[in-house]
Amino acid sequence: MRKLRRFVHLVLFCPISKGFQTRLPGIKVKYLFLAWLGVFVGSWAVYIHYSSYSELCRGHVCRMIICDQYKKGIISGSACKDLCDQHSLVFQQCLSSSPTHQIYSGKWGDGEVIIKCGVEENVKVDSNPDSPPRRELVLFDKPTRGTSMDEFKEMLGNFLKVNLGDQASLTSLVSRILTMADVNNDDKVSLAEAKSIWALLHQNEFLLMLSLREKEHTSQLVGHCGDLYVTEKIPHDSLYGTQIPGFLQTLLPSPVHRLIHQWCAPAWPRRAKIAIGLLEFVEEIFHGTYGSFFICDASFKNIGYNEKYDFKVVDLRKVATEMTIRGFLKGRHCEQNSDCTFGRDCTAACDKLMKQCKNDVIQPNLAKACMLLQDYLLYGSPSDLRDELQKQLRTCMTLSGLASQMEVHHSLILNNIKTLLWKKISNTKYS
């Protein structure tokens, strides 16, 4: 015990002992203490980060559930064989930020992909580690055996009306869903195929990927198995090209964050091209083919770009349909506007007389996009453009009220900024 106490004393107090100073007289105590403190804080941060890894990263559970259901013939999908039989679809780096929504980079053959899968909190695992996990609530419970194709089409149509609104274009979307569900291309939809596509549609991001599939600014779906789906990998998953690791974000002050982003960001003309893509995306979802959509977490972490510097949405879970937001706000009690917030920043007005939320979001997508672009575009911008660009962005950020009631003004500001940027980079290698 004496030896142990002596060892602990040396480790903790060695940096401030006189004997140590006599051996290294040129080193001051405070620098040694700061170095020791840095090592301690760094070790603590790394420990906290990796101690949560096993909770956040449960891809093995996801795969076991999916493959168990596939081998029982309950589910189907274009990726099932490669995932469960041939093992050519492989999980790699864990990107999950929530234990219930598993995200991994992966390999499918020679291509890089992103694999996404939901894992419910009520997953139960038997004492035998080799036994497949099971869910208390059955996910793949609809449609039931005996459901006809006409009944399934009606189920799909009603589901889409609730989530996207009663759009005239829903018939074509139902046909697209049925075509996707028909994995073996036999012009029929089996029960396993129907159960899989029905489970997928209940994931917000998958529904939005289908609704915005014709748009070039969303990642493309490349396969699915049950409620697991695979998308193309976006090379740069942040507007600035890189993201600061989570365990460092809390340690570094915001000015340091800004400096790192500025150093790592693409050249200004490339940023201008990416910004034009973001504005085009805002325009596309303003009145889309399948209704209007709202960006409910306007963060540079949710959007990125590809190797050609084309803008891409990385995480569509942060985008919501108009019907989803209206359903959330309907009859909701409130005392102030913040009580009427869906996601992080889709906020409606609170009727303080009735104590209920109104149905419409106050700040349009364009204003949120311009807030992101202010720092992104003004840093390093050409001197002959900066004043006018700053003026246009400032006007854009003040937009409020219903976009449907100010459609002309909304479009005018959006086109002014796009034109300003495009004139500067057109007929150059960056265009």
Side-chain angles (χ1 to χ4, degrees), residues 236-257:
H236 304 280
D237 60 356
S238 166
L239 199 58
Y240 288 94
T242 187
Q243 292 201 38
I244 301 171
F247 66 94
L248 283 178
Q249 288 180 12
T250 54
L251 298 176
L252 300 176
S254 55
V256 176
H257 287 203

PDB file of all heavy atoms in Angstrom, residues 236-257:
ATOM      1  N   HIS A 236     -18.565  15.320 -48.940  1.00  0.00           N
ATOM      2  CA  HIS A 236     -18.373  16.371 -47.934  1.00  0.00           C
ATOM      3  C   HIS A 236     -19.699  16.581 -47.205  1.00  0.00           C
ATOM      4  O   HIS A 236     -20.642  17.131 -47.777  1.00  0.00           O
ATOM      5  CB  HIS A 236     -17.899  17.666 -48.596  1.00  0.00           C
ATOM      6  CG  HIS A 236     -16.646  17.491 -49.409  1.00  0.00           C
ATOM      7  ND1 HIS A 236     -15.397  17.443 -48.841  1.00  0.00           N
ATOM      8  CD2 HIS A 236     -16.470  17.312 -50.740  1.00  0.00           C
ATOM      9  CE1 HIS A 236     -14.496  17.270 -49.790  1.00  0.00           C
ATOM     10  NE2 HIS A 236     -15.116  17.184 -50.952  1.00  0.00           N
ATOM     11  N   ASP A 237     -19.771  16.135 -45.948  1.00  0.00           N
ATOM     12  CA  ASP A 237     -21.042  16.137 -45.224  1.00  0.00           C
ATOM     13  C   ASP A 237     -21.232  17.377 -44.359  1.00  0.00           C
ATOM     14  O   ASP A 237     -21.977  17.365 -43.391  1.00  0.00           O
ATOM     15  CB  ASP A 237     -21.184  14.872 -44.375  1.00  0.00           C
ATOM     16  CG  ASP A 237     -20.074  14.728 -43.344  1.00  0.00           C
ATOM     17  OD1 ASP A 237     -19.144  15.570 -43.339  1.00  0.00           O
ATOM     18  OD2 ASP A 237     -20.142  13.797 -42.537  1.00  0.00           O
ATOM     19  N   SER A 238     -20.546  18.460 -44.700  1.00  0.00           N
ATOM     20  CA  SER A 238     -20.728  19.735 -44.021  1.00  0.00           C
ATOM     21  C   SER A 238     -20.540  20.848 -45.038  1.00  0.00           C
ATOM     22  O   SER A 238     -19.795  20.700 -46.009  1.00  0.00           O
ATOM     23  CB  SER A 238     -19.704  19.888 -42.886  1.00  0.00           C
ATOM     24  OG  SER A 238     -19.662  21.234 -42.439  1.00  0.00           O
ATOM     25  N   LEU A 239     -21.212  21.951 -44.830  1.00  0.00           N
ATOM     26  CA  LEU A 239     -21.112  23.084 -45.749  1.00  0.00           C
ATOM     27  C   LEU A 239     -19.677  23.597 -45.838  1.00  0.00           C
ATOM     28  O   LEU A 239     -19.246  24.109 -46.866  1.00  0.00           O
ATOM     29  CB  LEU A 239     -22.045  24.207 -45.270  1.00  0.00           C
ATOM     30  CG  LEU A 239     -22.450  25.290 -46.273  1.00  0.00           C
ATOM     31  CD1 LEU A 239     -23.128  24.693 -47.490  1.00  0.00           C
ATOM     32  CD2 LEU A 239     -23.353  26.314 -45.614  1.00  0.00           C
ATOM     33  N   TYR A 240     -18.914  23.419 -44.749  1.00  0.00           N
ATOM     34  CA  TYR A 240     -17.533  23.899 -44.723  1.00  0.00           C
ATOM     35  C   TYR A 240     -16.525  22.828 -45.139  1.00  0.00           C
ATOM     36  O   TYR A 240     -15.323  23.057 -45.108  1.00  0.00           O
ATOM     37  CB  TYR A 240     -17.181  24.414 -43.329  1.00  0.00           C
ATOM     38  CG  TYR A 240     -17.849  25.726 -43.008  1.00  0.00           C
ATOM     39  CD1 TYR A 240     -19.069  25.773 -42.335  1.00  0.00           C
ATOM     40  CD2 TYR A 240     -17.275  26.936 -43.395  1.00  0.00           C
ATOM     41  CE1 TYR A 240     -19.689  26.984 -42.050  1.00  0.00           C
ATOM     42  CE2 TYR A 240     -17.885  28.147 -43.116  1.00  0.00           C
ATOM     43  CZ  TYR A 240     -19.087  28.163 -42.444  1.00  0.00           C
ATOM     44  OH  TYR A 240     -19.700  29.364 -42.170  1.00  0.00           O
ATOM     45  N   GLY A 241     -17.010  21.656 -45.491  1.00  0.00           N
ATOM     46  CA  GLY A 241     -16.110  20.606 -45.956  1.00  0.00           C
ATOM     47  C   GLY A 241     -15.588  19.703 -44.872  1.00  0.00           C
ATOM     48  O   GLY A 241     -15.069  18.626 -45.141  1.00  0.00           O
ATOM     49  N   THR A 242     -15.695  20.127 -43.613  1.00  0.00           N
ATOM     50  CA  THR A 242     -15.226  19.299 -42.499  1.00  0.00           C
ATOM     51  C   THR A 242     -16.047  19.616 -41.269  1.00  0.00           C
ATOM     52  O   THR A 242     -16.668  20.684 -41.184  1.00  0.00           O
ATOM     53  CB  THR A 242     -13.735  19.559 -42.208  1.00  0.00           C
ATOM     54  OG1 THR A 242     -13.273  18.629 -41.227  1.00  0.00           O
ATOM     55  CG2 THR A 242     -13.512  20.967 -41.691  1.00  0.00           C
ATOM     56  N   GLN A 243     -16.069  18.676 -40.331  1.00  0.00           N
ATOM     57  CA  GLN A 243     -16.768  18.906 -39.070  1.00  0.00           C
ATOM     58  C   GLN A 243     -15.815  18.688 -37.909  1.00  0.00           C
ATOM     59  O   GLN A 243     -14.996  17.765 -37.919  1.00  0.00           O
ATOM     60  CB  GLN A 243     -17.971  17.956 -38.936  1.00  0.00           C
ATOM     61  CG  GLN A 243     -19.077  18.250 -39.928  1.00  0.00           C
ATOM     62  CD  GLN A 243     -20.418  17.689 -39.476  1.00  0.00           C
ATOM     63  OE1 GLN A 243     -20.739  17.709 -38.303  1.00  0.00           O
ATOM     64  NE2 GLN A 243     -21.209  17.211 -40.411  1.00  0.00           N
ATOM     65  N   ILE A 244     -15.926  19.547 -36.904  1.00  0.00           N
ATOM     66  CA  ILE A 244     -15.114  19.406 -35.692  1.00  0.00           C
ATOM     67  C   ILE A 244     -15.679  18.236 -34.889  1.00  0.00           C
ATOM     68  O   ILE A 244     -16.889  18.159 -34.676  1.00  0.00           O
ATOM     69  CB  ILE A 244     -15.154  20.703 -34.865  1.00  0.00           C
ATOM     70  CG1 ILE A 244     -14.621  21.876 -35.694  1.00  0.00           C
ATOM     71  CG2 ILE A 244     -14.350  20.559 -33.589  1.00  0.00           C
ATOM     72  CD1 ILE A 244     -14.824  23.232 -35.054  1.00  0.00           C
ATOM     73  N   PRO A 245     -14.828  17.300 -34.444  1.00  0.00           N
ATOM     74  CA  PRO A 245     -15.325  16.156 -33.654  1.00  0.00           C
ATOM     75  C   PRO A 245     -16.156  16.622 -32.457  1.00  0.00           C
ATOM     76  O   PRO A 245     -15.851  17.651 -31.836  1.00  0.00           O
ATOM     77  CB  PRO A 245     -14.037  15.463 -33.195  1.00  0.00           C
ATOM     78  CG  PRO A 245     -13.022  15.840 -34.225  1.00  0.00           C
ATOM     79  CD  PRO A 245     -13.377  17.229 -34.663  1.00  0.00           C
ATOM     80  N   GLY A 246     -17.200  15.865 -32.159  1.00  0.00           N
ATOM     81  CA  GLY A 246     -18.145  16.251 -31.111  1.00  0.00           C
ATOM     82  C   GLY A 246     -17.508  16.518 -29.766  1.00  0.00           C
ATOM     83  O   GLY A 246     -17.872  17.457 -29.061  1.00  0.00           O
ATOM     84  N   PHE A 247     -16.501  15.680 -29.377  1.00  0.00           N
ATOM     85  CA  PHE A 247     -15.915  15.856 -28.050  1.00  0.00           C
ATOM     86  C   PHE A 247     -15.031  17.101 -27.973  1.00  0.00           C
ATOM     87  O   PHE A 247     -14.694  17.559 -26.890  1.00  0.00           O
ATOM     88  CB  PHE A 247     -15.130  14.605 -27.628  1.00  0.00           C
ATOM     89  CG  PHE A 247     -13.900  14.323 -28.450  1.00  0.00           C
ATOM     90  CD1 PHE A 247     -12.661  14.781 -28.037  1.00  0.00           C
ATOM     91  CD2 PHE A 247     -13.990  13.605 -29.629  1.00  0.00           C
ATOM     92  CE1 PHE A 247     -11.521  14.513 -28.789  1.00  0.00           C
ATOM     93  CE2 PHE A 247     -12.859  13.333 -30.376  1.00  0.00           C
ATOM     94  CZ  PHE A 247     -11.627  13.791 -29.958  1.00  0.00           C
ATOM     95  N   LEU A 248     -14.648  17.680 -29.159  1.00  0.00           N
ATOM     96  CA  LEU A 248     -13.859  18.904 -29.159  1.00  0.00           C
ATOM     97  C   LEU A 248     -14.726  20.161 -29.230  1.00  0.00           C
ATOM     98  O   LEU A 248     -14.295  21.242 -28.849  1.00  0.00           O
ATOM     99  CB  LEU A 248     -12.881  18.909 -30.339  1.00  0.00           C
ATOM    100  CG  LEU A 248     -11.627  18.040 -30.214  1.00  0.00           C
ATOM    101  CD1 LEU A 248     -10.802  18.128 -31.483  1.00  0.00           C
ATOM    102  CD2 LEU A 248     -10.783  18.468 -29.014  1.00  0.00           C
ATOM    103  N   GLN A 249     -15.958  19.998 -29.732  1.00  0.00           N
ATOM    104  CA  GLN A 249     -16.832  21.161 -29.917  1.00  0.00           C
ATOM    105  C   GLN A 249     -17.100  21.886 -28.606  1.00  0.00           C
ATOM    106  O   GLN A 249     -17.172  23.111 -28.563  1.00  0.00           O
ATOM    107  CB  GLN A 249     -18.150  20.723 -30.564  1.00  0.00           C
ATOM    108  CG  GLN A 249     -17.999  20.357 -32.033  1.00  0.00           C
ATOM    109  CD  GLN A 249     -19.303  19.921 -32.665  1.00  0.00           C
ATOM    110  OE1 GLN A 249     -20.364  20.100 -32.086  1.00  0.00           O
ATOM    111  NE2 GLN A 249     -19.238  19.346 -33.850  1.00  0.00           N
ATOM    112  N   THR A 250     -17.258  21.125 -27.523  1.00  0.00           N
ATOM    113  CA  THR A 250     -17.552  21.753 -26.230  1.00  0.00           C
ATOM    114  C   THR A 250     -16.309  22.374 -25.596  1.00  0.00           C
ATOM    115  O   THR A 250     -16.426  23.246 -24.737  1.00  0.00           O
ATOM    116  CB  THR A 250     -18.145  20.711 -25.258  1.00  0.00           C
ATOM    117  OG1 THR A 250     -17.254  19.589 -25.183  1.00  0.00           O
ATOM    118  CG2 THR A 250     -19.506  20.230 -25.744  1.00  0.00           C
ATOM    119  N   LEU A 251     -15.127  21.920 -26.023  1.00  0.00           N
ATOM    120  CA  LEU A 251     -13.888  22.431 -25.439  1.00  0.00           C
ATOM    121  C   LEU A 251     -13.395  23.702 -26.127  1.00  0.00           C
ATOM    122  O   LEU A 251     -12.756  24.539 -25.498  1.00  0.00           O
ATOM    123  CB  LEU A 251     -12.792  21.359 -25.512  1.00  0.00           C
ATOM    124  CG  LEU A 251     -13.047  20.049 -24.752  1.00  0.00           C
ATOM    125  CD1 LEU A 251     -11.915  19.075 -24.998  1.00  0.00           C
ATOM    126  CD2 LEU A 251     -13.204  20.328 -23.264  1.00  0.00           C
ATOM    127  N   LEU A 252     -13.699  23.831 -27.433  1.00  0.00           N
ATOM    128  CA  LEU A 252     -13.190  24.974 -28.192  1.00  0.00           C
ATOM    129  C   LEU A 252     -14.206  26.105 -28.214  1.00  0.00           C
ATOM    130  O   LEU A 252     -15.390  25.875 -28.449  1.00  0.00           O
ATOM    131  CB  LEU A 252     -12.878  24.544 -29.634  1.00  0.00           C
ATOM    132  CG  LEU A 252     -11.831  23.441 -29.808  1.00  0.00           C
ATOM    133  CD1 LEU A 252     -11.697  23.056 -31.265  1.00  0.00           C
ATOM    134  CD2 LEU A 252     -10.481  23.884 -29.248  1.00  0.00           C
ATOM    135  N   PRO A 253     -13.788  27.342 -27.985  1.00  0.00           N
ATOM    136  CA  PRO A 253     -14.712  28.483 -28.045  1.00  0.00           C
ATOM    137  C   PRO A 253     -15.181  28.742 -29.481  1.00  0.00           C
ATOM    138  O   PRO A 253     -14.516  28.345 -30.446  1.00  0.00           O
ATOM    139  CB  PRO A 253     -13.864  29.653 -27.519  1.00  0.00           C
ATOM    140  CG  PRO A 253     -12.453  29.233 -27.749  1.00  0.00           C
ATOM    141  CD  PRO A 253     -12.416  27.742 -27.635  1.00  0.00           C
ATOM    142  N   SER A 254     -16.307  29.425 -29.622  1.00  0.00           N
ATOM    143  CA  SER A 254     -16.895  29.655 -30.943  1.00  0.00           C
ATOM    144  C   SER A 254     -15.978  30.405 -31.910  1.00  0.00           C
ATOM    145  O   SER A 254     -15.988  30.116 -33.110  1.00  0.00           O
ATOM    146  CB  SER A 254     -18.239  30.378 -30.800  1.00  0.00           C
ATOM    147  OG  SER A 254     -18.090  31.571 -30.064  1.00  0.00           O
ATOM    148  N   PRO A 255     -15.144  31.380 -31.453  1.00  0.00           N
ATOM    149  CA  PRO A 255     -14.220  32.022 -32.403  1.00  0.00           C
ATOM    150  C   PRO A 255     -13.242  31.029 -33.042  1.00  0.00           C
ATOM    151  O   PRO A 255     -12.891  31.169 -34.212  1.00  0.00           O
ATOM    152  CB  PRO A 255     -13.487  33.056 -31.541  1.00  0.00           C
ATOM    153  CG  PRO A 255     -14.417  33.364 -30.417  1.00  0.00           C
ATOM    154  CD  PRO A 255     -15.094  32.063 -30.134  1.00  0.00           C
ATOM    155  N   VAL A 256     -12.828  30.021 -32.262  1.00  0.00           N
ATOM    156  CA  VAL A 256     -11.930  28.996 -32.805  1.00  0.00           C
ATOM    157  C   VAL A 256     -12.674  28.139 -33.828  1.00  0.00           C
ATOM    158  O   VAL A 256     -12.124  27.779 -34.876  1.00  0.00           O
ATOM    159  CB  VAL A 256     -11.355  28.116 -31.672  1.00  0.00           C
ATOM    160  CG1 VAL A 256     -10.491  26.985 -32.235  1.00  0.00           C
ATOM    161  CG2 VAL A 256     -10.546  28.966 -30.703  1.00  0.00           C
ATOM    162  N   HIS A 257     -13.950  27.830 -33.539  1.00  0.00           N
ATOM    163  CA  HIS A 257     -14.784  27.099 -34.508  1.00  0.00           C
ATOM    164  C   HIS A 257     -14.796  27.835 -35.836  1.00  0.00           C
ATOM    165  O   HIS A 257     -14.623  27.239 -36.899  1.00  0.00           O
ATOM    166  CB  HIS A 257     -16.227  26.977 -33.988  1.00  0.00           C
ATOM    167  CG  HIS A 257     -16.373  25.993 -32.867  1.00  0.00           C
ATOM    168  ND1 HIS A 257     -17.569  25.386 -32.564  1.00  0.00           N
ATOM    169  CD2 HIS A 257     -15.488  25.499 -31.987  1.00  0.00           C
ATOM    170  CE1 HIS A 257     -17.401  24.570 -31.541  1.00  0.00           C
ATOM    171  NE2 HIS A 257     -16.155  24.636 -31.168  1.00  0.00           N
TER     172      HIS A 257
END
